[in-house]
Amino acid sequence: MTLGLVLEEIGRALPGHGFASVRAGVEMALIDAIANSIRLPLWRLFGGASNSITTDITIPIVSPNEAAKLASEYRERGFSTLKLKVGKDLNSDIEVMKAIRSVHPDCEFILDANEGYSANEAVEVLEKLAEMGVTPKLFEQPVHRDNWDGLRQVSDVAKEKYGVSVAADESCRSVDDAHRIVKGKVAHVINIKLAKSGVLGALEIINVARNAGIRLMIGGMVETRLAMGFAGHLAAGLGCFDFIDLDTPLLLSDDPVFEGYEVSGPVYKFTNSRGHGGFLHWSNI
Ligand SMILES: [Mg+2]
């Protein structure tokens, strides 16, 4: 039986859990066990390109004042890329960006619409930002995941008219989706999440994207240092991600996982401990 079939069986045996995230968890444990047995840290197992990554940080949907307060705190802590959830209300999104810019003028923006706009609205956002003199470095999933034509239209206009790259996140959940994106030139960037596709699936998508010259982002769901740490090891070791969005452990008030990597502002540095290097404190769960 191949590893893929074993994982599928396990996924089916655990109803109520998203199959992909169960699969990802099992794959992480197996890969960690391999790294441990050959005494390698995960980042070296994945290729050893680097032992560190630099993440962006997310500003949630809040008032302009609150966003400015957070942005100024993140500026102090060394974060230069801020990720904004947008798409609810165009005018308030613009107000929030103006407020952030006033306290963190050099920051770069990643906008994540989480499928919230129509294609026309997405282009309108870029137009308004251009009027403000803001060029986001990435515009993530502007339209609904199944609106392939809309995504391609936004990507074309974003790049040609505004010099902005567009990322497929919810639209890319499998290797088949990745092939579709490549073939139809639907987006410039693919956002990889281990919980969406599993680790092996993610490695396949990464391959497809790299062969086609599509750039890569790595993100996650709301995850602790355990799953995020794994994704961080993978990103550091492969060294092929232009956009790193692995910030949720920084935003969690309680994280039951210790070690695995050292954090200094936006930089995660992985050690030479075997495997993942992090561990759970059972008393904290
Ligand atoms: Mg996203």
Side-chain angles (χ1 to χ4, degrees):
M1 207 183 228
T2 66
L3 177 59
L5 285 174
V6 173
L7 294 170
E8 240 169 78
E9 286 301 314
I10 293 170
R12 265 195 281 275
L14 292 167
H17 294 79
F19 169 65
S21 59
V22 171
R23 179 183 174 138
V26 175
E27 287 173 331
M28 285 179 197
L30 289 173
I31 294 168
D32 182 48
I34 293 166
N36 267 292
S37 73
I38 56 174
R39 297 186 162 81
L40 275 185
L42 280 176
W43 64 271
R44 282 203 190 275
L45 185 75
F46 283 121
S50 166
N51 67 344
S52 73
I53 54 167
T54 302
T55 182
D56 62 19
I57 194 151
T58 301
I59 306 250
I61 297 180
V62 289
S63 70
N65 275 346
E66 283 168 284
K69 224 170 100 191
L70 284 171
S72 140
E73 184 200 320
Y74 292 149
R75 179 171 179 251
E76 292 277 298
R77 285 166 58 186
F79 289 90
S80 58
T81 302
L82 303 181
K83 172 160 154 157
L84 291 183
K85 297 279 180 190
V86 296
K88 289 263 182 287
D89 173 353
L90 182 54
N91 289 325
S92 57
D93 293 342
I94 301 281
E95 288 309 310
V96 163
M97 274 181 261
K98 278 187 189 160
I100 291 173
R101 263 290 151 102
S102 71
V103 296
H104 197 339
D106 302 323
C107 72
E108 293 193 282
F109 288 118
I110 291 179
L111 304 185
D112 188 358
N114 283 117
E115 319 177 70
Y117 293 125
S118 68
N120 287 341
E121 285 168 340
V123 170
E124 202 187 322
V125 173
L126 292 173
E127 178 65 44
K128 290 215 172 155
L129 289 177
E131 284 165 15
M132 277 169 61
V134 175
T135 307
K137 72 173 180 182
L138 193 64
F139 194 10
E140 231 188 290
Q141 197 66 46
V143 298
H144 189 270
R145 64 188 71 184
D146 297 325
N147 185 1
W148 294 90
D149 288 340
L151 189 55
R152 189 180 48 241
Q153 282 163 24
V154 177
S155 291
D156 287 349
V157 178
K159 190 54 118 187
E160 277 162 32
K161 203 163 167 201
Y162 305 104
V164 175
S165 297
V166 171
D169 179 1
E170 286 83 353
S171 290
C172 187
R173 283 160 292 165
S174 65
V175 184
D176 288 347
D177 290 338
H179 281 298
R180 189 166 179 181
I181 288 163
V182 167
K183 216 170 149 206
K185 296 192 169 72
V186 170
H188 313 107
V189 175
I190 288 177
N191 188 356
I192 301 286
K193 288 177 180 165
L194 303 183
K196 272 193 309 195
S197 53
V199 183
L200 302 181
L203 292 172
E204 268 187 83
I205 296 173
I206 290 166
N207 240 343
V208 170
R210 290 176 90 174
N211 287 336
I214 299 246
R215 294 196 294 157
L216 289 160
M217 172 177 194
I218 188 159
M221 307 302 184
V222 178
E223 292 167 15
T224 65
R225 290 172 70 103
L226 202 59
M228 270 291 146
F230 193 100
H233 270 288
L234 182 141
L238 287 174
C240 61
F241 293 93
D242 288 330
F243 307 95
I244 295 184
D245 177 31
L246 297 178
D247 63 341
T248 60
L250 300 170
L251 308 169
L252 291 176
S253 54
D254 273 320
D255 192 332
V257 183
F258 291 82
E259 299 190 13
Y261 54 90
E262 293 152 14
V263 180
S264 168
V267 179
Y268 299 172
K269 193 169 166 219
F270 298 91
T271 65
N272 278 318
S273 306
R274 286 187 213 174
H276 180 289
F279 58 90
L280 276 170
H281 263 203
W282 293 103
S283 55
N284 288 5
I285 299 174

